[in-house]
Amino acid sequence: YSMDDEARLTSLMGDIGTFYKENLHAFIMGTRPISEMDSFVEQLKGMGLEEAISLMQKAYDAYLASQVQ
């Protein structure tokens, strides 16, 4: 990761990780109905999950490229 990418990923994943864990527990325990799964996924996307995945993919691609040399 570049320093900027790492800082952005850390920022995104802190909130996303907390939200994910809390809601996963709620789904498992039945306090949040499984019918809200689509809403949960959209909330994650709204928090920047797709950007986080893109940053991780960029770092992984750079790692793979460095192994080929």
Side-chain angles (χ1 to χ4, degrees):
Y1 299 106
S2 71
M3 288 177 57
D4 290 340
D5 287 351
E6 184 174 359
R8 180 66 179 147
L9 186 59
T10 299
S11 173
L12 288 169
M13 291 308 294
D15 293 338
I16 290 171
T18 299
F19 179 76
Y20 173 80
K21 289 174 191 172
E22 289 172 354
N23 282 276
L24 180 63
H25 183 264
F27 282 121
I28 291 170
M29 298 306 294
T31 56
R32 184 166 183 186
I34 199 72
S35 62
E36 293 182 8
M37 181 61 72
D38 290 341
S39 173
F40 170 65
V41 171
E42 289 305 313
Q43 288 174 296
L44 286 169
K45 288 179 180 179
M47 296 175 79
L49 180 62
E50 291 176 330
E51 180 184 358
I53 291 170
S54 177
L55 291 169
M56 288 184 241
Q57 186 66 53
K58 179 180 165 185
Y60 181 63
D61 291 344
Y63 167 75
L64 289 178
S66 74
Q67 298 303 306
V68 173
Q69 298 174 359

